[in-house]
């Protein structure tokens, strides 16, 4: 049997570096000796496409010490990454033999930073992941922003089905980044929390179009709705959300934006990538850090 583990949003300086400098990823092959493990590292910041396999790249395989039942591949793909990657391998990857993994994606941190750019850069992929039916695991770097925001996104924007609700991860990072300069309770710990989704709930997806300038105003309404519903893990989101005020925001100026009927089909177009200068936290920690805006972007090196 074969198991494909696809690490989305991987970077050469984090997930790939862990592969080269440690034996952490090797544990997959050792834990399942009778299963053929194929580890994919996919994203705009991984090394150029390569196949690292003991039989095809002997010298490198010896350096890595890969178990004989394990194969590692990297594919550099610009966002939205998953749809392009899945289209290339649709015949070999499916819900029966594949697990998608994203470490510290950070796209829920908008509830704390007020900047939703990272969310919209992920949105197309999140919808495609849910539509594929392939189980996907996500970790978060904190619970006060990332878990709250990602729960809103997955349940109320994308309409995904939770297999495992957000919960504390016993295998989180051993260190915690604490904000300085009187930032307050902001902190970040890689892989602090974890949740798993698979598939989507019919009719649950929002009709927000990330290409429209009204997207943040519509996002605010979603967060308000989440608070009104009284979900305990969302109750603090509105207070932290610092999106522009409706009256002052040009995003809500209907005259400046194309006319769109609520009943018209939503077209999800790729949105601009977040610049590398907005990256925050330590390598591999793709959540937010104080004073640096939103990070964990998926732009090129």
């Amino acid at each position: 049997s074969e198991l494909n583990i696809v690490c989305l949003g991987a970077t050469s300086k984090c997930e790939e570096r862990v592969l080269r400098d440690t034996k952490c990823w090797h544990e997959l092959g050792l834990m399942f000796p009778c299963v053929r493990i194929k580890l994919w590292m996919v994203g705009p910041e991984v090394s150029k496409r390569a196949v690292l396999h003991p039989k095809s790249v002997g010298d490198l395989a010896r350096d890595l010490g890969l178990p004989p039942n394990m194969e590692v591949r990297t594919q550099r793909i610009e966002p939205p990454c998953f749809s392009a990657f899945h289209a290339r391998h649709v015949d070999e990857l499916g819900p029966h033999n594949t697990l998608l993994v994203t470490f510290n994606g950070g796209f829920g941190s908008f509830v704390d930073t007020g900047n939703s750019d990272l969310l919209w850069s992920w949105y197309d992929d999140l919808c495609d992941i849910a539509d594929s039916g392939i189980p996907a695991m996500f970790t978060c770097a904190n619970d006060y922003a990332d878990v709250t925001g990602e729960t809103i996104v997955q349940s109320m924007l994308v309409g995904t089905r939770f297999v495992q609700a957000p919960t504390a991860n016993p295998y989180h990072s051993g260190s915690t980044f604490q904000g300085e300069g009187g930032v307050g309770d902001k902190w970040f710990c890689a892989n602090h929390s974890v949740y798993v989704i698979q598939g989507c709930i019919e009719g649950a997806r929002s009709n927000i179009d990330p290409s429209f300038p009204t997207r943040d105003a519509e996002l605010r309404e979603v967060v308000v709705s989440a608070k009104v519903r009284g979900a305990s893990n969302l109750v603090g989101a509105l207070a932290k959300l610092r999106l522009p005020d409706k009256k002052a925001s040009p995003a809500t100026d209907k005259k400046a934006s194309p006319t769109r009927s609520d009943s018209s089909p939503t077209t999800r177009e790729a949105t601009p990538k977040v610049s590398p200068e907005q990256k925050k936290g330590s390598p591999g920690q793709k959540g937010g850090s104080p004073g640096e805006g939103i990070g964990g972007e998926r732009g090129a090196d």
Side-chain angles (χ1 to χ4, degrees):
S1 60
E2 180 177 275
L3 174 61
N4 294 280
I5 298 178
V6 182
C7 185
L8 295 172
T11 70
S12 60
K13 296 179 180 179
C14 186
E15 290 85 355
E16 193 177 335
R17 182 180 179 183
V18 170
L19 171 68
R20 297 176 183 277
D21 294 350
T22 77
K23 302 295 183 183
C24 291
W25 286 110
H26 298 53
E27 291 296 319
L28 292 170
L30 299 175
M31 287 179 64
F32 306 101
C34 297
V35 177
R36 182 76 176 169
I37 303 292
K38 188 178 292 186
L39 174 64
W40 303 80
M41 295 194 175
V42 181
E45 296 181 76
V46 297
S47 299
K48 292 182 179 180
R49 184 171 180 174
V51 177
L52 313 181
H53 186 279
K55 294 182 179 178
S56 60
V57 191
D59 292 340
L60 184 55
R62 282 191 289 272
D63 291 340
L64 293 175
L66 291 175
N69 63 320
M70 189 172 179
E71 175 179 324
V72 179
R73 301 187 182 189
T74 65
Q75 289 196 13
R76 175 178 286 190
I77 303 176
E78 293 299 320
C81 304
F82 176 74
S83 57
F85 171 77
H86 190 230
R88 296 178 186 178
H89 306 283
V90 65
D91 294 333
E92 55 183 312
L93 305 179
H96 64 291
N97 68 350
T98 304
L99 173 66
L100 308 176
V101 181
T102 298
F103 295 105
N104 311 295
F107 54 86
S109 60
F110 66 91
V111 298
D112 181 64
T113 66
N115 188 333
S116 62
D117 289 346
L118 182 60
L119 161 62
W120 300 122
S121 76
W122 269 95
Y123 186 70
D124 284 342
D125 269 344
L126 294 174
C127 291
D128 291 336
I129 287 170
D131 292 341
S132 74
I134 298 175
M137 183 183 80
F138 295 83
T139 69
C140 300
N142 58 54
D143 55 5
Y144 64 86
D146 289 356
V147 169
T148 296
E150 291 188 28
T151 301
I152 294 174
V153 170
Q154 296 283 19
S155 61
M156 302 186 70
L157 269 66
V158 181
T160 52
R161 188 183 305 277
F162 280 86
V163 176
Q164 168 63 60
T167 186
N169 176 19
Y171 306 105
H172 59 73
S173 172
S175 60
T176 299
F177 175 83
Q178 184 69 48
E180 300 177 355
V183 176
D185 61 352
K186 295 181 186 246
W187 55 268
F188 309 92
C189 176
N191 307 314
H192 172 273
S193 305
V194 62
Y195 65 90
V196 181
I197 60 97
Q198 183 176 21
C200 50
I201 300 173
E202 185 176 358
R205 184 165 299 169
S206 76
N207 67 342
I208 296 178
D209 188 331
S211 67
F212 272 65
T214 57
R215 65 186 189 182
D216 283 350
E218 294 178 78
L219 177 61
R220 178 192 290 272
E221 294 178 1
V222 170
V223 177
V224 171
S225 175
K227 184 181 180 183
V228 169
R229 292 185 184 186
S232 60
N233 58 337
L234 306 182
V235 71
L238 184 62
K240 294 179 179 179
L241 185 59
R242 298 195 300 272
L243 293 173
D245 183 82
K246 284 188 174 184
K247 295 182 180 178
S249 173
T252 61
D253 185 358
K254 299 293 184 179
K255 296 180 180 179
S257 63
T259 301
R260 174 167 63 94
S261 169
D262 289 338
S263 60
S264 62
T266 298
T267 56
R268 296 183 283 103
E269 300 176 359
T271 55
K273 303 184 293 296
V274 181
S275 64
E277 287 74 20
Q278 292 175 301
K279 188 176 283 290
K280 26 182 204 180
S282 58
Q285 181 178 302
K286 302 173 186 175
S289 66
E292 296 180 357
I294 199 159
E297 39 71 36
R298 306 171 68 194
D301 291 337

